[in-house]
Amino acid sequence: MFDNLLDNLIDYVEGFLGDDDENNTDDDFKEEEDFISDTGHGSDSDDDGFLFEESVDIDGDGIIDGVTTYEDIDGDGVADIATTYLDTDGDGMIDSATSYQDTDGDGIIDTVSVSEYLDTDDDGIMDSFVTDSYYDIDGDGTVDIHETEILSDDYHAVITEADMDNDGEADYIVVQEDLDGDGIVDNSEVIPTATDYPYDIDDITDNVGNAPAYEQFDPDNCDLDDIIGDPGAAMDSWHVQETSSSCAVASQEFILEQLTGYEFDEADLRDFAETNGWYDPDGGTSMRDVGNILEAAGLEVERSTGNSITDIENCLENGGQIIVGVDAYELWDGESNDFYLPGDGANHAIQVIGVDHSDPSEPMVIINDSGTANGGGAMVSLDVFMDAWEDSGYFMVEAYA
């Protein structure tokens, strides 16, 4: 279905916003920097979240068409975001918004977003919007990532195009869909579009961000009374996933071996899952299909969202095994890093094998991450884990023998 999805979405967006990719030159970010550079200093005296606002009359007819707001995100008294909201047809509803943002506080604009608000059924209520966002990741004044987002009550799609080498051609395209508007990504695909892209997206173990500074759990050098679960035993099943899309299959393989005592082959499980429609070599495994291999093997499986670390601990204490959906790049970088693939959301499955409370002030979550070369028994701070897990809506698969 993705063969037509990308073209359809791009055609839809260009119909409203126009194809501005080729018009984003080195001078664009300079002009946008001038827009925000004179916002000055101030304070949010009326506690409305803005340093100040100013009215906009775009056509000079003396009638106010909109407002520009200036936000100070880091509280230093200097505006970091300038956003202009326009009502171009005078119907009292916002038709568009353009935002310029200095995300790192260096005084240089690095993010520009243009949104169109739509009333698709002409009932006087805006029910969807389309946003084009342009990101200058390396601060060189050129667009590195272009993201298009379409959002309505029952549909959400994000298309991300990356041109990190600034040759004017997309290095890769990421397409993600939430088909029913429940906040969970149903379809996701990475489309390589340039063979000379410096990152190997066909092999996740060589990908950017895939050398995290994981600390490894040492079962011989810990107080087991502080550990929830049996991570030492679970680590024995870990290995690096064999393809870029098979993280969920590999995670299920780990659990099968731990709960049945038998050895399994990832390739066999991939073939089995693909035959049953649970795995796509190009797109991976959808959230709703994670755990199907375990169920087919006779294990008891429960799927849920909105969970907490307490739910994970309860499962482990009751002899269960766990797979969760996470944003891999937040997990690997150790902090929220939406700039790598903005709007990417959950894109990776891992097994949670324990929780370490040796330091009560900084609990560590112990995982088997098949997407990294050092992911067996990897330890991640609770804060980092929760941030990465949040992107899946705290999705969790529990499995019991």
Side-chain angles (χ1 to χ4, degrees):
M1 70 180 297
F2 282 106
D3 292 342
N4 296 322
L5 172 65
L6 183 63
D7 291 336
N8 291 341
L9 291 183
I10 290 178
D11 289 344
Y12 177 80
V13 172
E14 290 177 356
F16 285 106
L17 302 181
D19 187 358
D20 293 328
D21 282 36
E22 60 188 39
N23 298 321
N24 279 277
T25 64
D26 293 5
D27 294 332
D28 288 341
F29 277 104
K30 185 178 187 306
E31 293 172 1
E32 290 144 5
E33 178 184 348
D34 294 340
F35 179 85
I36 198 174
S37 61
D38 296 327
T39 57
H41 295 68
S43 62
D44 183 9
S45 58
D46 56 3
D47 199 28
D48 65 351
F50 304 115
L51 285 181
F52 54 90
E53 308 91 26
E54 58 185 10
S55 299
V56 177
D57 176 12
I58 59 174
D59 52 11
D61 63 356
I63 300 175
I64 299 302
D65 302 300
V67 62
T68 297
T69 63
Y70 298 90
E71 298 176 71
D72 175 18
I73 302 301
D74 53 14
D76 64 354
V78 179
D80 307 300
I81 304 176
T83 304
T84 298
Y85 301 91
L86 293 178
D87 172 19
T88 55
D89 55 9
D91 64 355
M93 295 189 295
I94 295 173
D95 302 310
S96 67
T98 303
S99 178
Y100 307 95
Q101 184 170 357
D102 171 19
T103 60
D104 51 14
D106 64 355
I108 299 174
I109 294 298
D110 42 42
T111 304
V112 180
S113 297
V114 181
S115 299
E116 290 285 338
Y117 296 76
L118 309 173
D119 176 13
T120 59
D121 54 10
D122 295 321
D123 64 353
I125 300 174
M126 295 300 175
D127 48 49
S128 60
F129 69 83
V130 180
T131 299
D132 269 355
S133 297
Y134 302 90
Y135 301 85
D136 176 15
I137 305 302
D138 51 16
D140 65 353
T142 60
V143 175
D144 301 306
I145 292 178
H146 171 208
E147 174 189 282
T148 299
E149 181 178 19
I150 301 170
L151 181 63
S152 64
D153 289 339
D154 56 3
Y155 183 78
H156 187 193
V158 177
I159 307 167
T160 304
E161 300 175 81
D163 179 17
M164 300 301 292
D165 54 9
N166 299 130
D167 65 353
E169 297 181 359
D171 303 312
Y172 62 83
I173 300 172
V174 178
V175 180
Q176 293 188 308
E177 279 190 302
D178 172 11
L179 298 174
D180 51 13
D182 64 355
I184 298 176
V185 175
D186 299 304
N187 292 311
S188 179
E189 184 177 24
V190 178
I191 306 170
T193 57
T195 57
D196 60 347
Y197 187 59
Y199 310 140
D200 182 5
I201 63 175
D202 290 326
D203 185 352
I204 198 169
T205 61
D206 291 333
N207 206 338
V208 142
N210 204 33
Y214 279 152
E215 176 185 351
Q216 308 304 125
F217 176 71
D218 183 358
D220 297 324
N221 188 27
C222 69
D223 185 345
L224 295 180
D225 290 338
D226 295 326
I227 309 299
I228 296 176
D230 189 2
M235 291 167 61
D236 293 338
S237 300
W238 173 86
H239 64 76
V240 176
Q241 65 196 59
E242 297 172 359
T243 77
S244 63
S245 60
S246 59
C247 55
V249 175
S251 296
Q252 291 176 90
E253 177 197 349
F254 303 160
I255 291 178
L256 280 174
E257 293 184 351
Q258 291 153 25
L259 292 182
T260 68
Y262 294 101
E263 291 188 3
F264 291 83
D265 181 78
E266 181 189 319
D268 292 339
L269 294 177
R270 288 199 310 272
D271 290 343
F272 174 68
E274 185 177 1
T275 299
N276 285 277
W278 305 333
Y279 167 72
D280 179 353
D282 295 322
T285 304
S286 67
M287 282 189 182
R288 63 177 175 270
D289 291 326
V290 178
N292 286 356
I293 297 175
L294 304 178
E295 287 180 318
L299 299 180
E300 179 185 344
V301 173
E302 300 176 10
R303 300 172 185 82
S304 57
T305 56
N307 294 289
S308 67
I309 191 63
T310 301
D311 295 311
I312 286 179
E313 292 177 336
N314 289 340
C315 176
L316 293 172
E317 288 175 332
N318 290 321
Q321 299 292 338
I322 299 167
I323 298 173
V324 299
V326 296
D327 182 331
Y329 304 106
E330 290 189 20
L331 195 69
W332 295 338
D333 290 346
E335 59 183 13
S336 179
N337 187 14
D338 288 339
F339 261 162
Y340 184 77
L341 288 178
D344 206 25
N347 53 15
H348 191 40
I350 61 172
Q351 181 191 13
V352 179
I353 59 177
V355 182
D356 183 356
H357 288 279
S358 298
D359 182 354
S361 65
E362 189 176 2
M364 304 292 287
V365 180
I366 309 169
I367 63 175
N368 274 342
D369 181 355
S370 65
T372 69
N374 60 343
M379 301 181 69
V380 182
S381 72
L382 179 60
D383 288 343
V384 169
F385 173 80
M386 294 300 291
D387 284 344
W389 189 24
E390 179 184 17
D391 286 4
S392 71
Y394 302 110
F395 173 76
M396 178 170 73
V397 174
E398 304 172 61
Y400 301 88

